[in-house]
Amino acid sequence: MPSYTAPIKDTQFILHNVLKISEKAIPGYDELDADFTNAVLEEAGKISSEVLHPLNTVGDTEGCRLENGVVYTPTGFKAAFEQVKEGGWTGLDMPEQYGGQNMPYIMGTAVGEMFSAANQAFTMYQGLTHGAASAILAHGSDAQKDTYLPKMVSCEWTGTMNLTEPHCGTDLGLMRTKAEPQDDGSYKITGQKIFISSGDHDMADNIIHLVLAKIPGGPDGIKGVSLFIVPKFIVKEDGSLGDRNGVSVGKIEEKMGIHGNSTCVMNYDSATGYLLGTEHKGMRAMFTMMNEARLGVGMQGLAQAEAAYQNALEYAKDRLQGRDVTGVKNPDGPADPLIVHPDIRRNLMDQKSFAEGARAFILWGAKMIDQAHRAEDKDADGLISLLTPVIKGFLTDQGYDMTVQAQQIYGGHGYIEEWGMSQYTRDARIAMIYEGANGVQALDLVGRKLAQDGGKHVMAFFEMVKNFCKENGDISESYSKEFIEPLKAASKDLQAAGMYFMQNGMTNPNNALSGSYDFMHMFGHVCLGLMWAEMAKAAQAELDAGSSDAAFYETKIATGRYYMARQLPATALHLSRIQTGGDTVMALAADQF
Amino acid sequence: MPSYTAPIKDTQFILHNVLKISEKAIPGYDELDADFTNAVLEEAGKISSEVLHPLNTVGDTEGCRLENGVVYTPTGFKAAFEQVKEGGWTGLDMPEQYGGQNMPYIMGTAVGEMFSAANQAFTMYQGLTHGAASAILAHGSDAQKDTYLPKMVSCEWTGTMNLTEPHCGTDLGLMRTKAEPQDDGSYKITGQKIFISSGDHDMADNIIHLVLAKIPGGPDGIKGVSLFIVPKFIVKEDGSLGDRNGVSVGKIEEKMGIHGNSTCVMNYDSATGYLLGTEHKGMRAMFTMMNEARLGVGMQGLAQAEAAYQNALEYAKDRLQGRDVTGVKNPDGPADPLIVHPDIRRNLMDQKSFAEGARAFILWGAKMIDQAHRAEDKDADGLISLLTPVIKGFLTDQGYDMTVQAQQIYGGHGYIEEWGMSQYTRDARIAMIYEGANGVQALDLVGRKLAQDGGKHVMAFFEMVKNFCKENGDISESYSKEFIEPLKAASKDLQAAGMYFMQNGMTNPNNALSGSYDFMHMFGHVCLGLMWAEMAKAAQAELDAGSSDAAFYETKIATGRYYMARQLPATALHLSRIQTGGDTVMALAADQF
């Protein structure tokens, strides 16, 4: 059985030493001093380790089951969900007005990593609800907010997102679900939606489905899509639950992983729905959920990698196999622990340097969201919009790879289900797919976000990296050589790739789009490089100030050195691929394959 | 439901246009003209598609079950196994003397890819038997050969390899299973073995376990390990089956994949065993099996990638989603097929260029085995010994990644079990682990094989690449630019890495071993680069000769161009990592993690 310990010290280091959040002029941040955040994280860590994580294997093994139209979650999920609700965790960063705790998004993110790492399938019930509530908060009428938000913030009612249909995933313009206007202002929704996470279950009194559908007579394609609130049980005027609505579960999908989450086929048969936001502007409203969900999914990549890493590390320290080539390390034992072997180290350092870098990246992104929403900082809004596909695509690809590497440390024990390492890999796999497959993230990044607002945000990013390098170039010779120079080189590669797209993408967009995936990955590496440069700087400052916890900060710097030396140079390979253009990629006609 | 079509044309191209096998002076090769090999491959392809592949999902879904000590294979396996036996496929490359067809190993390999691609879990029953029979063939007494081989060649009896114990996998010196000598020359074997593929099942009358164990009083560690034949049923003098031996199944493991193969915990309780080969020289005998098994596992990496690719390609052609940015391709449909999108193309070309390159690499390797075994070519023997860890490690890592990429093309449909793409990923995952985890392959390559025979074989490899480049540098300007130059550059990177190891590994072996994994991958890329240069040359020769099948050869060259431009340059990244040495990798003390 794997174990999980919340990375509180690392998170605190990022929040306070790197991002220095309580010094930032963002409303709500002044309350986030180190003691306060530590208390929140300690409590969240406890729930993660003691309540959610023990149910992770249970959820994987039992899965959800559909009986007579009712979905049952795995043993223990319901009681655990009650505990999470009672602790107020579901409304951590939601407005007080609706029963939330009004903490900044960055705190929701820090806690969210822990919950996800402990039990991804479980945490999705809450995560989808948060997304749906955010959409209602942003686009709902006051009456809709009053009706749904208090119950959704507390997770007495949970939420879902209904986009995909059997014949359309990414291309939502092909959607067939219909919404026919009724005399009372409501709509009758009819159609089938698939892959609906948390689509139905036994842990909430009501489920609020947000459903994309087309109002007949509206514009063709994606421009004619509207968003509707479709409750499982109709909510009466007094707030009590009325009749069962015309929505039912067709089946639960058998999946590679996240078995504890009910992924449903949902059938809407003249179900009563209420327009959320404006007619035909459903995609805009849906993107409120989707952007948040994409950050949340990027976080899942980190979370699964972190959880898998923790276990791989323990195994590498415990398992005795072979001897250190440079000299026996465990002379009293029959063999040395795996961790003495250089290739095991390489593997562990890959994981460690990824997880810590990714955590900084995610929290930095969450801070930008707070800047945008709480301080109306348009630059932060633009930058996080640019970085959202990078966070989603890069962190889930890399996070998945890290779960595979963690599994590898166990040898054959990683392949059997008994040790739990297969589950991390199987659960992490979905994050590369849902909320927009990573190829779509790359397309969003290169095809849309790069040029957004005249390319202003990507320019600002480069400017920021440049300034960081300039301002910190003379901290020390070693810092300059080990951190600043590699960061400069990687950032230069990224700029060269952007330049290549500008010069060659106009004449043939395939020259840009063929390199979009590589670009997303190199962008991710530059972000993690920047994070490591920031973290090493912050750690060095603590050492220079004579910290009594020198080992922690020295480890941080050594881990950063590894990332800069071994991982960041991947940008050069990505650039070289990008610069070969679209010709070799598009050379074959479809029937030549 | 996925489908599978054997890649006969591609295999024929490699056998005859690239390797020109029937022209080679290797005993048995003169019979392998194009018509003959085509007939064999057609027949094998038919069995693969029609008999084995339809059972692939069945095996995954049902798995094996243990009831009252008896293991039952999934529905249909037994009947299919009978068909395979009757067709003589189990003894394709085994000596006629024991009922085999005496074809060269290269034919067994070409057929093996098809069987593995169609149903890996099923084909393992036969594969393990082949390995065990090879060990008996190489190390058994005449009496042992006469007793076991005829039945094993026909797979009336199957075989297993018993190495791993709960506390030891790679480090077999820690083994506890004991073999106590008896007065009649036999041994009593006692101990527990785990992860025994095909350990027990209902498809054969007897199972011949090859078991590593220690004879008390022998040398410590790995030097005191002997190999034993332990039949499930004792074979009487007249060849008929006698008593049940003291070997039983403890349990069947629950695994991530290859559910159709029974992975057993085997308990030996004073089981009667017969020494195979020499006392205390068990590892040498085991390596006969293991080297063959490693090539077979490398082939599984290719096989799963090929099967997954075929399905991803079909899906990409069928699924309508979005529009080609350079102009609508399917104006009569609601959207264009996925295959128009550049990032889908990148993904498919990665897969295609890997699978075809890997196939050439595997068959080239198989040819070396034939040269070594049939023509006693010591150079070929040395070269394949060097390349075995590359074939195993590189092809299974890359093969796995390709199944993940294939799954990705399906979006959410790739994650649910219904479409079968998850199974390719889950099945392919084991190949990175068994027969020596890939980290161990890298260690074998850098720590042992590079310096073997004074480094003679790696020098010969470089010489061969150099000569190829010299001899073919003036085929045409474009060939030189697109194939020869990239191959030269990659080979130069590989040599520089080897040089780095020589210069820095002496003072500190960690400088070499920290780069072993990267070295294994760059070596694999250079081999695939060489294969693509060979294939492009052979294809161009056909075009120059006015082939009526120009489209096939043009596609081959275009696919090669993709590999050379987009994949081969990975060597530079691997080199840059290697040249950072062991310092960043080994910087942390174990307790600093």
Side-chain angles (χ1 to χ4, degrees), chain A residues 169 171 321-322 400 415 426, chain B residues 169 171 321-322 345 400 415 426:
Chain A
D171 191 352
Q321 209 79 178
Y400 176 74
Y415 195 66
R426 290 184 290 99
Chain B
D171 190 353
Q321 209 79 179
R345 282 298 180 103
Y400 176 74
Y415 195 66
R426 290 184 291 97

Side-chain angles (χ1 to χ4, degrees), chain A residues 523-537:
Chain A
F523 211 145
H525 277 299
V526 172
C527 289
L528 257 62
L530 176 62
M531 291 299 104
W532 271 116
E534 294 260 23
M535 287 195 281
K537 176 187 162 189

Side-chain angles (χ1 to χ4, degrees), chain A residues 166-171 174 194-195 251 253-258 309 313 317 319-322 325-326 334-335 339-340 342-343 345-346 348-349 352 400 404 407-408 411-413 415-418 422 425-427 429-430 432-433 437-439 508-510 513-514 516-518 551 555 558-559 561-562 565-567 569-570 573 576-577 580-581 584-590 592-593, chain B residues 166-171 174 194-195 251 253-258 309 313 317 319-322 325-326 334-335 339-340 342-343 345-346 348-349 352 400 404 407-408 411-413 415-418 422 425-427 429-430 432-433 437-439 508-510 513-514 516-518 551 555 558-559 561-562 565-567 569-570 573 576-577 580-581 584-590 592-593:
Chain A
H167 61 287
C168 72
T170 301
D171 191 352
L174 303 176
I194 64 170
F195 304 154
K251 72 165 174 170
E253 301 286 1
E254 296 289 335
K255 309 183 298 288
M256 183 174 175
I258 53 166
Y309 163 67
L313 175 61
K317 286 178 176 177
R319 174 87 170 171
L320 304 180
Q321 209 79 178
V325 285
T326 62
I339 199 168
V340 304
D343 188 61
R345 281 300 179 100
R346 169 200 61 78
L348 290 171
M349 290 299 287
K352 182 176 172 63
Y400 176 74
V404 173
Q407 192 184 16
Q408 190 71 11
H413 299 277
Y415 195 66
I416 60 174
E417 296 293 349
E418 188 181 338
S422 156
T425 303
R426 290 184 290 99
D427 284 2
R429 182 68 185 88
I430 187 58
M432 296 156 74
I433 297 174
N438 286 355
N508 184 351
N510 289 340
L513 298 181
S514 296
S516 58
Y517 214 86
D518 282 289
T555 299
T559 308
R561 274 192 202 112
Y562 180 89
R566 291 241 168 190
Q567 300 289 46
L573 173 60
S576 80
R577 282 190 189 139
T580 63
T584 60
V585 176
M586 306 304 290
L588 300 180
Q592 272 185 292
F593 273 85
Chain B
H167 60 289
C168 71
T170 300
D171 190 353
L174 303 176
I194 63 171
F195 303 154
K251 70 166 175 170
E253 301 286 1
E254 297 288 336
K255 309 183 297 291
M256 185 174 174
I258 52 166
Y309 164 67
L313 175 61
K317 286 178 175 177
R319 174 85 169 172
L320 304 179
Q321 209 79 179
V325 285
T326 63
I339 200 169
V340 305
D343 188 61
R345 282 298 180 103
R346 170 201 61 79
L348 290 171
M349 291 299 287
K352 181 177 172 65
Y400 176 74
V404 174
Q407 192 184 16
Q408 190 70 13
H413 299 277
Y415 195 66
I416 60 173
E417 296 293 350
E418 188 181 337
S422 156
T425 302
R426 290 184 291 97
D427 285 359
R429 182 68 185 87
I430 187 57
M432 297 156 73
I433 298 174
N438 286 354
N508 185 351
N510 289 339
L513 298 181
S514 295
S516 59
Y517 214 86
D518 281 289
T555 299
T559 309
R561 272 190 203 115
Y562 181 89
R566 290 242 168 191
Q567 300 289 45
L573 172 60
S576 82
R577 282 189 189 140
T580 64
T584 60
V585 177
M586 305 303 289
L588 300 180
Q592 270 185 294
F593 274 83

Side-chain angles (χ1 to χ4, degrees), chain B residues 147-399:
Chain B
T147 303
Y148 299 105
L149 288 183
K151 300 283 191 184
M152 291 176 80
V153 165
S154 66
C155 273
E156 280 172 84
W157 300 352
T158 62
T160 71
M161 293 169 64
N162 289 243
L163 291 77
T164 307
E165 299 183 8
H167 60 289
C168 71
T170 300
D171 190 353
L172 290 169
L174 303 176
M175 182 173 297
R176 291 182 194 146
T177 298
K178 269 187 204 145
E180 298 193 90
Q182 305 298 304
D183 292 343
D184 66 354
S186 73
Y187 292 77
K188 289 285 179 211
I189 314 286
T190 302
Q192 189 178 62
K193 296 287 181 177
I194 63 171
F195 303 154
I196 308 308
S197 297
S198 318
D200 195 40
H201 57 85
D202 55 357
M203 303 194 298
D205 298 333
N206 202 3
I207 298 178
I208 310 305
H209 302 289
L210 295 198
V211 184
L212 283 181
K214 284 185 172 178
I215 301 169
D220 278 348
I222 199 73
K223 289 177 182 160
V225 166
S226 307
L227 186 60
F228 298 89
I229 298 175
V230 185
K232 178 177 171 182
F233 292 98
I234 302 289
V235 182
K236 291 196 275 195
E237 292 240 340
D238 65 355
S240 67
L241 298 186
D243 292 342
R244 184 77 148 82
N245 204 349
V247 48
S248 59
V249 179
K251 70 166 175 170
I252 299 183
E253 301 286 1
E254 297 288 336
K255 309 183 297 291
M256 185 174 174
I258 52 166
H259 296 154
N261 194 273
S262 55
T263 305
C264 299
V265 172
M266 301 300 298
N267 294 322
Y268 293 88
D269 184 11
S270 293
T272 298
Y274 312 100
L275 185 68
L276 177 61
T278 314
E279 253 187 10
H280 312 316
K281 304 284 184 203
M283 286 310 292
R284 194 186 295 169
M286 196 44 119
F287 262 104
T288 305
M289 286 170 76
M290 211 130 69
N291 279 332
E292 181 188 304
R294 284 176 178 179
L295 294 175
V297 172
M299 188 188 67
Q300 290 175 348
L302 154 65
Q304 295 306 300
E306 167 70 28
Y309 164 67
Q310 288 187 11
N311 288 283
L313 175 61
E314 282 316 301
Y315 192 81
K317 286 178 175 177
D318 285 352
R319 174 85 169 172
L320 304 179
Q321 209 79 179
R323 290 293 187 187
D324 187 336
V325 285
T326 63
V328 169
K329 288 287 181 301
N330 177 32
D332 299 334
D336 289 341
L338 283 180
I339 200 169
V340 305
H341 302 300
D343 188 61
I344 296 286
R345 282 298 180 103
R346 170 201 61 79
N347 184 330
L348 290 171
M349 291 299 287
D350 280 354
Q351 295 179 61
K352 181 177 172 65
S353 65
F354 167 74
E356 295 177 19
R359 181 170 300 115
F361 187 20
I362 285 274
L363 291 172
W364 177 46
K367 200 197 78 185
M368 284 182 236
I369 300 246
D370 283 326
Q371 281 173 281
H373 292 177
R374 292 178 166 242
E376 286 173 27
D377 179 337
K378 290 230 179 302
D379 292 338
D381 195 43
L383 189 54
I384 189 60
S385 167
L386 172 73
L387 294 178
T388 295
V390 180
I391 290 175
K392 198 281 183 182
F394 178 71
L395 295 189
T396 60
D397 276 358
Q398 293 264 318

Side-chain angles (χ1 to χ4, degrees), chain A residues 15-89:
Chain A
L15 293 179
H16 301 290
N17 295 66
V18 181
L19 299 177
K20 298 189 198 309
I21 55 170
S22 63
E23 298 171 17
K24 300 289 171 191
I26 301 170
Y29 269 45
D30 52 340
E31 292 166 20
L32 303 181
D33 64 33
D35 286 346
F36 177 80
T37 61
N38 193 61
V40 173
L41 298 178
E42 285 279 0
E43 208 48 48
K46 223 166 125 180
I47 292 215
S48 302
S49 303
E50 296 172 13
V51 179
L52 307 188
H53 193 258
L55 295 175
N56 200 38
T57 311
V58 177
D60 188 52
T61 313
E62 285 189 23
C64 295
R65 61 183 210 283
L66 176 65
E67 274 175 26
N68 302 321
V70 180
V71 174
Y72 297 92
T73 52
T75 308
F77 269 43
K78 199 168 173 172
F81 203 51
E82 288 307 313
Q83 260 187 279
V84 171
K85 290 179 198 175
E86 277 161 25
W89 296 106

